[in-house]
Amino acid sequence: MSSVAVVLFTSDLRLHDHPVLCAALRDADEVVPLFVRDDAVHRAGFDAPNRLAFLADCLADLDAGLRDRGGRLILRRGGTAREVKRVVEETGAESVHIAAGVSGYAARREERIREALSGTGCELRVHDAVVTALAPGRVVPTGGKDHFAVFTPYFRRWEAEGVRGTLAAPRTVRVPAGVSGDALPDRDTVKDVSPGLARGGEEAGRKLVKSWLNGPVADYEDSHDDLAGDATSRLSPHLHFGTVSAAELANRAREKGGPGGEAFVRQLAWRDFHHQVLAARPDASWSDYRPRHDRWRSDEDEIEAWKSGHTGYPLVDAAMRQLAHEGWMHNRGRMLAASFLTKTLYVDWRVGARHFLDLLVDGDVANNQLNWQWVAGTGTDTRPNRILNPVIQGKRFDPDGAYVRRWVPELAEVEGPAIHEPWKLEGLDRAGVDYPDPVVDLAEARSRFERARGLD
């Protein structure tokens, strides 16, 4: 009689460099590749349209890859623990394999699966360093602390520890006969998807990795903040869904070497850094990591102007409109948009984090929430009161205004750096420019923030 193992895919929708799948194939003769559409994700509001559409691509691609190897993806709908137990009972599986997660939801899911399997004789095996390059908690500070609160010392330890080796994709996956699943979701049936949303799936992700590492990464250190040049990898959605392995990407980028490759590896470590923070402090997903006793404002008109990209500050508006159109935003744009909401408008970072989660295809709790906290000054930033000026940022990172013109067509006829201060236009330069005045004065907003933080 053949032995059976279950692989529960979560944020690791790939076949290459997949420790979970490799371990299951070593454990058993046959494997059930399982993905569960959990009702809890819907109840929590995390099944945003852009991520649902991208997920549909990923599942279709994963199923195709498994079929090429003699297998198939089994999709179930309902509570994850319940569906896992059902598959175990149907197949007589002796082990269930899953990638470790760091969110509160991931911890509850693991606990419920373990409870559901108790008494069945089936073992739950949780694998580290699948979603991240280095497992959260693999390196910790001296002195008994459970996580690093500052990135630089974490990165030194991260580099010294080293990333695990890359695993080959399996050649064959045998699935037990008779195990059934539901139809895979169809991207085209998802409503309210951003019109410029990229395609998902491992095949698309690996093509993007190849093109990125074969050229643009070499200039990454110097060009990553060039908004108009769009000189970043755009791999964050694939890292979020696990269609690309963070460990493999770190290894391959390091093989390329050079300042660009090393700068890119540092960004992968930054992602790992936030995962180890959240693993140690799961409440940081919605609570201040370092409370500043902020008395946040809540001006609904200003918040709506920020969301829709009509603040009167062109670079902020361009970034927010890119988010709405693509379900993605350049990292420099994310920092500026977050700083503007939290420190210029002085609005609670949770308002911005929720809006980003509603639209970002790469939106996950660790990176989204903790990057928002970093910018808001309630997180791990060692300079919690820094404020990014949208005019200065525009002139520095979009000097001729090409990025703004791409996303704010009202200003398309404004030439040069003047585009970042349209309220100063006069005469013919102002004629025909249908663009709102700034929602706030920057100097007054700075003073308000400094008074609120007790810095005046």
Side-chain angles (χ1 to χ4, degrees):
M1 183 175 178
S2 297
S3 58
V4 178
V6 176
V7 172
L8 180 61
F9 286 90
T10 54
S11 299
D12 50 349
L13 305 179
R14 64 181 185 270
L15 298 177
H16 291 79
D17 192 42
H18 201 290
V20 181
L21 181 57
C22 289
L25 290 169
R26 289 193 300 269
D27 267 9
D29 303 312
E30 297 178 320
V31 167
V32 181
L34 175 66
F35 185 86
V36 179
R37 294 283 301 274
D38 196 327
D39 299 332
V41 176
H42 175 72
R43 290 194 298 270
F46 282 100
D47 56 348
N50 287 337
R51 290 194 294 280
L52 283 179
F54 200 90
L55 173 64
D57 292 343
C58 295
L59 295 178
D61 188 81
L62 179 59
D63 181 60
L66 287 165
R67 288 181 184 276
D68 286 344
R69 293 162 171 81
R72 59 196 169 94
L73 181 64
I74 305 299
L75 177 73
R76 296 286 180 92
R77 287 179 169 84
T80 298
R82 183 190 70 197
E83 294 305 317
V84 167
K85 184 179 181 181
R86 283 181 58 198
V87 171
V88 167
E89 291 173 343
E90 292 168 11
T91 63
E94 298 171 357
S95 60
V96 172
H97 298 255
I98 186 174
V102 298
S103 67
Y105 167 73
R108 291 189 296 273
R109 177 179 61 199
E110 181 182 327
E111 180 182 357
R112 287 167 183 162
I113 294 172
R114 203 176 296 279
E115 289 175 355
L117 295 181
S118 63
T120 65
C122 181
E123 175 191 8
L124 177 63
R125 294 186 57 190
V126 181
H127 300 266
D128 288 327
V130 180
V131 175
T132 53
L134 196 70
R138 180 68 179 270
V139 295
V140 293
T142 56
K145 294 183 178 180
D146 59 359
H147 72 287
F148 282 92
V150 180
F151 175 69
T152 300
Y154 171 78
F155 182 55
R156 285 197 293 265
R157 292 288 302 278
W158 187 94
E159 282 197 301
E161 181 69 20
V163 175
R164 63 169 177 79
T166 303
L167 301 171
R171 295 183 178 181
T172 303
V173 178
R174 293 178 55 208
V175 179
V179 61
S180 62
D182 298 328
L184 297 179
D186 183 350
R187 175 190 176 112
D188 294 336
T189 64
V190 183
K191 298 179 180 179
D192 301 320
V193 176
S194 292
L197 184 71
R199 303 297 300 192
E202 183 175 16
E203 182 178 3
R206 293 190 73 79
K207 286 181 179 178
L208 194 56
V209 169
K210 183 178 180 180
S211 63
W212 171 247
L213 294 179
N214 282 345
V217 72
D219 300 320
Y220 181 71
E221 184 180 37
D222 297 325
S223 63
H224 68 276
D225 278 324
D226 180 1
L227 284 158
D230 197 12
T232 61
S233 72
R234 285 185 173 257
L235 284 166
S236 55
H238 292 281
L239 286 165
H240 171 64
F241 284 91
T243 56
V244 167
S245 158
E248 180 183 6
L249 192 53
N251 287 330
R252 292 179 63 181
R254 189 155 271 156
E255 288 171 5
K256 285 290 179 182
E262 291 302 319
F264 184 64
V265 169
R266 186 179 176 91
Q267 291 302 309
L268 294 171
W270 177 257
R271 179 176 181 269
D272 280 10
F273 170 71
H274 278 152
H275 277 77
Q276 60 96 39
V277 172
L278 190 64
R281 292 279 299 275
D283 62 312
S285 60
W286 289 107
S287 299
D288 289 347
Y289 179 80
R290 287 180 174 143
R292 304 292 176 188
H293 309 293
D294 287 296
R295 301 181 298 278
W296 302 110
R297 298 172 64 250
S298 184
D299 186 309
E300 292 302 323
D301 290 338
E302 291 180 359
I303 292 171
E304 182 54 38
W306 176 82
K307 288 181 177 180
S308 65
H310 290 86
T311 67
Y313 288 98
L315 196 61
V316 175
D317 293 344
M320 296 303 293
R321 294 185 196 187
Q322 181 183 26
L323 172 63
H325 183 80
E326 296 187 354
W328 183 89
M329 189 194 296
H330 191 289
N331 184 60
R332 175 56 56 175
R334 299 187 197 207
M335 292 173 63
L336 175 62
S339 177
F340 189 84
L341 184 73
T342 59
K343 290 176 175 173
T344 300
L345 300 183
Y346 197 44
V347 170
D348 193 330
W349 63 267
R350 283 159 280 246
V351 173
R354 179 70 261 178
H355 181 67
F356 271 32
L357 282 178
D358 287 343
L359 290 174
L360 280 175
V361 65
D362 59 25
D364 69 33
V365 173
N367 299 303
N368 186 63
Q369 312 303 85
L370 293 178
N371 272 310
W372 266 96
Q373 290 225 49
W374 188 89
V375 175
T378 61
T380 61
D381 188 5
T382 55
R383 293 172 53 198
N385 298 311
R386 78 176 85 202
I387 300 173
L388 299 182
N389 182 303
V391 176
I392 294 173
Q393 291 280 301
K395 292 179 178 179
R396 181 177 179 185
F397 298 115
D398 187 32
D400 66 359
Y403 177 75
V404 168
R405 288 186 197 89
R406 184 181 306 161
W407 296 108
V408 187
E410 305 97 298
L411 301 175
E413 301 303 317
V414 181
E415 298 180 357
I419 199 170
H420 297 296
E421 298 174 285
W423 56 88
K424 291 184 177 180
L425 297 174
E426 297 180 356
L428 292 176
D429 291 332
R430 181 94 182 173
V433 175
D434 183 18
Y435 185 69
D437 291 328
V439 292
V440 291
D441 177 81
L442 294 179
E444 291 178 2
R446 175 179 281 274
S447 295
R448 179 178 62 201
F449 174 77
E450 290 175 348
R451 289 195 302 272
R453 285 270 170 101
L455 304 172
D456 56 345

